[in-house]
Structure formats: structure tokens, C-alpha cells
Amino acid sequence: MTSPHWLSGGFRPFFFLGALAMAASVLMWVPVYSGLFSLPTLFVPRDWHVHTLLFGGVMAIIAGFGLTAVANWTSRPPVSGMLLLTLVLLWLAGRAAVTLGARLGPLPVALLDVLFPLSLAAVMAREVIAARNLRNLKIVAVISLLALADLGFHLEAARDGVADVSLRASLSLVILLILMIGGRIIPAFTRNWLNARKAAKLPVTFNKADASIMVLSGAALVLWTILPDALATAVIMLLAGAGQIWRLTRWCGLAARREPLLLILHIGHLILALGFLAVPCALLLPQIGDATASVHLWTAGAIGIMTLAVMTRASRGHSGHPLTADRLDLAIFALVILGTIARVASPHAGEAARPLLDMAALAWAGAYLAFAAGYARRLLIPPAKAR
């Protein structure tokens, strides 16, 4: 029996669903934050907002990317058909449980939610182990840690009412995963593009200096998770941010500026690095910094830009379209950047803060809705056969 087209590869259902979840995490959050209505969830509104973004939208996008990439890494057939459908249903069950689970109780909600990341990690581990592609087990390890952080999120929220430590742990793991994947694909994609144009200067390959900065960045994220207000945390985060910016300068981003599909990846990594600088600055200089706005450089900025950059590129490449941005892609990138700028600026806008926050939500969510609407046909519907 042939599987439907939308179950032929992990990126097809999960990029589409992930985009909708990312938009919902903001569009539903704003009226809840304003007191216009409440959700029948066990989480306080802020925790629902963050959890839906990280474990709803981002986790779906990680699944779409990971299940597609693992087939390339291992040269095995892509995960598809009933197994992929099972993963989709587990994701949907988790989203329903988290949003509507006030009557279920903490334990059933937690179990239903954590089943998806655990199952995703198990499926990806099976693929890389079967192909003896053990170098990519580190990606599986981070996804497994995300599943544990998800469980911690539920347990901490049930115990304390809010999930502060687990929130930082979850965000840190997503940032670490973006650093790992971005550090692999950004220079590689840029090198391929420049090679095709016979450029003299190419991105520097990963070396010991890169490895040292990655270790430093990981240490900074661990310290921020457990000791967010410590001076040592601020110092190490500043060093990590400077190191990540230095890495970026070696990837020839300006040389590839004529292709927006490449340039947006470099912009995403830059904003991620700036987050490492802004978060400790908000601690050291509270009179000019804002902790929430600084963290949104990571959430709205780095996560928003990098997920959309990866989704547009992968969707194009795996659907037989050229790897060059069209007007839709440019609109998507413009909206997510505008949303990021407005969200980070809103705490400093005085009386204009609330309108700016609303504009940020509409622009940022609009980027994901534009992706979902513009790419739905390519992702979900088989191409028409030539006559």
C-alpha cells in the first residue's frame, strides 16, 4: 500500500504543523496575556506560551528537519508511512493535552506530551545506529535531553506553579541544537554556493577553535540554566557570544549576500550570538537592559529566523524547486525580522510599548502563517503529473 504524499517524508507534515504551532503560540498568547480569555491548561499563561513554542512548534520543526536529515546522513529510506503518521498523532496528542488538559491532571498530561520527543529520539537513534552513523548520535542525545527537560517542565510547574529552571533548560537545549546544526550547515551551504561561483575565499572548516567555542557556549548555557544571576555566568556568556560572532566572520556570509536563502542563515546565527551578549548585559546593566527583551533575541530572533530559514530551504530542495528565494520567502524573512525588532524594542518604547508588542506578534506569527499558506501545496499535495 502506497503512503499518501504528505507522509512520504518527515518535513512534509511537521514543517506545516510546526509553522501553525509557532503562530498559535503567539496569536493565542496575546489575548490571554490581555485577559480577554483563558485556556483550560494546567500551565500559567507564560509557561503555556513558552512550552507551545518550544515543545510544540520548535519540536515539530526539529522532527521535520531531523527525520529528513537522518535519511541523508545514513543513506537509508526516509521515515514515512505508518511510523511517520504515529509520530504526527503523538505530537497532536501532546499539544491537545497541554492546551486542554486541566481536567486530566498533571501526570496524564505530562505522559501524553513527553511521548512525542521520546519517540522521535528513539526513531532517530534506530536509524543512525542501524547505519553505524554514530557521529550523529550527539544530535539524538540533545533531543533526548529535550524530552527530559519537557518532563521537568511539567514536574516543576506542578510543584512550584511555574517552570523557571526547566524553561531555561529547555531554551538552552534548543539554542545548543541550533548551534550544532547551524555550525554544520551554514558554512557547508555557503561553501557549496561559493564553489559553484569559483570564489577564491571559502568558509573555514570546523577546527579546534570552533570546538572550544562550542564547549564554552555549552558551559554558558548550563550556568545560565542553574545560576542565571551569577557574575561568572555573565562573563562566560559574554565570551561565548564574542566567540560565536568570531566563528561567523569566518563563514563568508557577506560573500553570499546575493542569495537571501543563505544570508538569512548568517543573520540568524548573528542574532543568536547577540543573545549571548544581551542576556548578561541585562543582568550587569539593568538600567539600560531588559531581561525579557534580551531572551527574545533567542526566542523570537534566533529561533524564529533559523527555523524559517531551514524550513524554506529544505522545503524547496526536497520539492524540486531551485534553492533561491522568491517573493514569498523574502516576505517571510522580512516579517520575522520585523517581529523580532519590534518585540525586543517594545520594553523601551514607553507608551508605544503595547502597540509595538501587538505589531511584533502579528508580524512574527504572520511569517509562519505565510510559510504555512505558501508552502502547503509543495509540502502536502503531490505535484501534478506532466501530460
Side-chain angles (χ1 to χ4, degrees):
M1 181 177 177
T2 304
S3 299
H5 181 71
W6 64 276
L7 288 176
S8 62
F11 73 99
R12 297 189 183 280
F14 280 121
F15 282 179
F16 181 75
L17 292 171
L20 295 181
M22 294 295 267
S25 74
V26 171
L27 293 179
M28 293 175 67
W29 152 250
V30 171
V32 169
Y33 174 75
S34 302
L36 297 178
F37 72 91
S38 60
L39 294 169
T41 175
L42 290 169
F43 291 150
V44 298
R46 183 211 64 172
D47 285 359
W48 177 87
H49 165 59
V50 176
H51 190 279
T52 299
L53 188 148
L54 294 179
F55 293 105
V58 173
M59 188 59 74
I61 295 165
I62 289 172
F65 174 83
L67 294 172
T68 304
V70 77
N72 295 330
W73 298 339
T74 63
S75 298
R76 288 169 57 84
V79 174
S80 60
M82 282 302 300
L83 179 55
L84 180 55
L85 178 59
T86 300
L87 290 173
V88 169
L89 293 176
L90 287 175
W91 181 87
L92 290 170
R95 306 294 24 94
V98 167
T99 301
L100 308 171
R103 294 184 179 180
L104 292 177
L107 184 58
V109 170
L111 291 176
L112 283 170
D113 184 42
V114 175
L115 271 176
F116 174 69
L118 284 176
S119 300
L120 175 63
V123 170
M124 291 186 62
R126 184 198 70 173
E127 295 298 303
V128 298
I129 292 172
R132 298 185 178 181
N133 185 252
L134 301 185
R135 65 187 291 266
N136 284 305
L137 277 177
K138 58 181 177 289
I139 304 293
V140 178
V142 176
I143 295 173
S144 301
L145 289 174
L146 271 169
L148 292 177
D150 190 6
L151 179 61
F153 202 108
H154 286 273
L155 295 176
E156 186 181 0
R159 184 191 66 188
D160 301 335
V162 292
D164 288 333
V165 176
S166 299
L167 186 156
R168 291 193 298 274
S170 305
L171 177 55
S172 294
L173 285 167
V174 171
I175 294 299
L176 181 61
L177 193 60
I178 291 175
L179 285 172
M180 293 169 64
I181 294 173
R184 178 186 297 188
I185 67 174
I186 297 173
F189 292 164
T190 306
R191 175 181 291 272
N192 293 342
W193 192 85
L194 292 174
N195 265 329
R197 286 150 185 83
K198 304 187 184 303
K201 186 178 180 181
L202 298 175
V204 177
T205 56
F206 190 90
N207 56 30
K208 291 182 179 179
D210 293 277
S212 298
I213 293 169
M214 284 295 295
V215 171
L216 184 65
S217 300
L221 291 169
V222 169
L223 284 173
W224 180 68
T225 297
I226 59 178
L227 298 170
D229 300 325
L231 179 60
T233 300
V235 171
I236 294 179
M237 289 193 79
L238 289 170
L239 292 174
Q244 292 296 342
I245 290 175
W246 177 73
R247 291 183 74 203
L248 187 61
T249 63
R250 301 157 72 229
W251 293 346
C252 303
L254 290 178
R257 62 187 179 276
R258 293 182 179 178
E259 177 44 65
L261 281 184
L262 276 178
L263 181 61
I264 194 66
L265 288 166
H266 290 265
I267 292 173
H269 190 92
L270 174 62
I271 293 178
L272 188 153
L274 292 177
F276 275 96
L277 302 180
V279 170
C281 283
L283 169 65
L284 299 174
L285 303 169
Q287 64 275 19
I288 62 172
D290 181 88
T292 301
S294 300
V295 170
H296 275 84
L297 276 173
W298 276 338
T299 53
I303 291 175
I305 291 170
M306 291 297 284
T307 52
L308 285 166
V310 168
M311 288 195 295
T312 50
R313 185 182 184 90
S315 298
R316 282 187 159 275
H318 290 280
S319 300
H321 291 81
L323 292 177
T324 185
D326 60 15
R327 291 180 180 178
L328 171 64
D329 301 316
L330 294 177
I332 290 170
F333 300 154
L335 283 170
V336 72
I337 291 172
L338 175 62
T340 298
I341 293 171
R343 181 61 185 88
V344 172
S346 61
H348 309 284
E351 294 182 357
R354 185 50 198 265
L356 202 58
L357 189 64
D358 291 340
M359 185 182 77
L362 290 174
W364 197 84
Y368 284 97
L369 292 178
F371 173 86
Y375 277 86
R377 178 174 292 275
R378 300 175 191 176
L379 293 173
L380 306 177
I381 301 174
K385 294 182 180 180
R387 294 181 179 179

